[in-house]
Amino acid sequence: MIPSVLPTYSRAPLHFVAGTGTWLVEEDGRRFLDLGSGIAVNALGHAHPALVAALTEQAGKLWHVSNLYEIPQQQALADKLVARTFADTVFFTNSGTEACELAVKMARKYWYEKGAPEKTDILTFAGSFHGRSSAGIAAAGTEKMVKGFGPLLPGFVHLPWGDHDALKAAVSDTTAAILIEPIQGEGGIRPLPDQCLRGLRALCDENGILLILDEVQCGMGRTGKLFAHEWAGITPDIMMVAKGIGGGFPLGAVLATEDAASGMTAGTHGSTYGGNPLGCAVGNTVMDHVSDPAFLAEVNRKAGLLRQKLEGLVAAHPDVFEGVRGTGLMLGLRMKVAPADFVAKGYESLVITVPAADNVVRLLPPLTITDDEISQALSRLDAAATAIETA
Ligand SMILES: Cc1ncc(COP(=O)(O)O)c(C=O)c1O
């Protein structure tokens, strides 16, 4: 008999009932160190007092009004994002997938309004992940995601990862945009080198096409900058954001320049919940914390500490690990054993990690992780590696 919850996930037998900071409490009382943050969502950890206060205060006043009306909390968050980024305008969604939908629509509408309706193609890359909607799976194009779900949304051109010649050859008169994650998350913490991101920007400028960055997983302070593309010193035309921006409340956003957004006039897009008062009350508080230069400096310092300790872990277990990669607190352990086996041993050692493609185990701790917790994380990861070696 089919379970009452549609069985699209193979779930670990863990029932978390509470969380504080970097810790998750299981029903049986065990305390797990959370190096997954719900896949890069709990940027400020679990039950951060400022987020609890923002949520409960707003909940006592007004949960929801339609986007048919002005929403001051939404306006405030949009103003903050515009002030701190390349963007001139923001649309709020509930998720990264919905941000992908709008990014694709915005790029196509841009060219339609510019009198080039033939420009509908979006170039995407192997190993990418942009969500599970029809546009999201068509964008990624991997067999695992698209098999059986056809006919797929047309207009996506899939390119190999890191093949500059293939990319240049793929640009044509029908190209609307390039869509890419500065650091692939689901694809296995594969960072795009800064010079490649600069090269992509130059390619877009030379050919007059739009650059869409998917910062759903790597954005909101995760890499030690507010957004990952800042490391390369370039800016996109359109950017997808989600996960960390809500700190656990479902919230996403599309940020864009005035020019890129010029086709999106009244009535061309909408959302019932996107940017509602409750979500934006939380989003504003996350943004106030994460965009603080002192907070980001701490993320970078702690990332250095964690990275250094992970290099030691890899050296101590050469049969388990191949290396460490990633930026800031978005790190991947490339494995010589099955990632799922290591993640399972981690559960036995009371540490949460997240598997990814390309034989990688992801470490995406809350950005508020402490030095002491980093030390505890290493002991637990070390115990998991030893358990694999002695199994
Ligand atoms: C890079 C990236 N884009 C888009 C998405 C989809 O976001 P959501 O699951 O919030 O719809 C994800 C989710 O993992 C992601 O990592």
Side-chain angles (χ1 to χ4, degrees):
M1 204 170 72
I2 191 165
S4 56
V5 174
L6 190 74
T8 58
Y9 280 90
S10 15
R11 296 169 193 268
L14 293 168
H15 306 88
F16 295 116
V17 292
T20 325
T22 314
W23 298 90
L24 278 172
V25 183
E26 221 273 350
E27 197 171 51
D28 63 10
R30 285 178 300 160
R31 285 168 56 80
F32 288 71
L33 195 52
D34 183 8
L35 305 184
S37 308
I39 319 189
V41 168
N42 304 100
L44 299 186
H46 299 279
H48 189 288
L51 295 187
V52 173
L55 184 76
T56 49
E57 194 192 318
Q58 187 59 44
K61 283 195 223 158
L62 180 65
W63 289 30
H64 177 81
V65 288
S66 163
N67 279 305
L68 293 171
Y69 314 105
E70 304 278 345
I71 300 176
Q73 298 82 358
Q74 183 182 132
Q75 182 66 54
L77 183 53
D79 288 346
K80 285 173 194 169
L81 287 164
V82 164
R84 283 290 273 110
T85 69
F86 72 96
D88 301 311
T89 190
V90 184
F91 183 93
F92 291 101
T93 66
N94 310 291
S95 68
T97 303
E98 288 161 283
C100 178
E101 291 294 319
L102 173 55
V104 168
K105 283 177 68 177
M106 186 182 278
R108 290 182 173 165
K109 189 71 166 24
Y110 173 84
W111 287 114
Y112 179 86
E113 295 295 341
K114 295 272 174 195
E118 72 284 0
K119 286 188 187 286
T120 53
D121 287 346
I122 301 191
L123 309 187
T124 61
F125 299 87
S128 62
F129 184 85
H130 303 294
R132 298 287 195 152
S133 63
S134 295
I137 63 171
T142 45
E143 197 195 345
K144 184 180 153 209
M145 267 192 281
V146 304
K147 197 173 168 196
F149 294 115
L152 294 179
L153 189 69
F156 292 95
V157 178
H158 304 112
L159 297 169
W161 170 262
D163 185 339
H164 296 194
D165 295 336
L167 171 60
K168 281 190 181 141
V171 173
S172 77
D173 291 346
T174 57
T175 308
I178 293 174
L179 165 59
I180 193 162
E181 301 158 76
I183 303 176
Q184 283 190 350
E186 305 302 308
I189 312 292
R190 288 203 294 181
L192 190 67
D194 288 349
Q195 70 270 22
C196 293
L197 203 43
R198 287 194 283 269
L200 270 183
R201 179 69 269 178
L203 185 72
C204 288
D205 291 343
E206 282 155 26
N207 293 278
I209 53 186
L210 298 171
L211 179 61
I212 307 172
L213 293 183
D214 180 345
E215 293 228 16
V216 166
Q217 195 161 145
C218 63
M220 291 306 290
R222 175 81 17 218
T223 67
K225 295 270 189 198
L226 185 55
F227 290 105
H229 66 265
E230 294 173 30
W231 288 109
I234 58 105
T235 56
D237 301 294
I238 300 172
M239 180 167 72
M240 298 152 52
V241 180
K243 290 187 181 276
I245 193 172
F249 195 95
L251 183 65
V254 173
L255 280 64
T257 63
E258 183 168 8
D259 185 39
S262 56
M264 303 306 295
T265 50
T268 55
H269 197 65
S271 168
T272 293
Y273 292 116
N276 87 353
L278 211 46
C280 287
V282 178
N284 271 295
T285 309
V286 172
M287 184 66 186
D288 290 343
H289 280 75
V290 171
S291 64
D292 179 348
F295 182 93
L296 291 170
E298 265 297 278
V299 171
N300 283 307
R301 188 191 62 76
K302 287 182 291 193
L305 184 64
L306 177 56
R307 178 81 181 226
Q308 184 197 359
K309 286 180 186 279
L310 289 173
E311 298 286 1
L313 178 77
V314 168
H317 301 279
D319 295 334
V320 178
F321 305 112
E322 199 173 293
V324 192
R325 66 190 189 197
T327 310
L329 290 174
M330 183 169 187
L331 294 168
L333 286 166
R334 191 113 199 284
M335 308 301 295
K336 287 186 180 163
V337 299
D341 290 349
F342 183 78
V343 171
K345 289 291 180 208
Y347 297 149
E348 289 170 22
S349 306
L350 306 184
V351 63
I352 307 283
T353 58
V354 185
D358 204 28
N359 248 13
V360 162
V361 168
R362 275 176 286 180
L363 307 180
L364 306 158
L367 306 180
T368 48
I369 190 170
T370 65
D371 290 10
D372 178 54
E373 287 163 348
I374 288 175
S375 296
Q376 293 194 51
L378 262 292
S379 315
R380 290 168 191 226
L381 294 171
D382 187 67
T386 303
I388 294 254
E389 285 161 346
T390 53

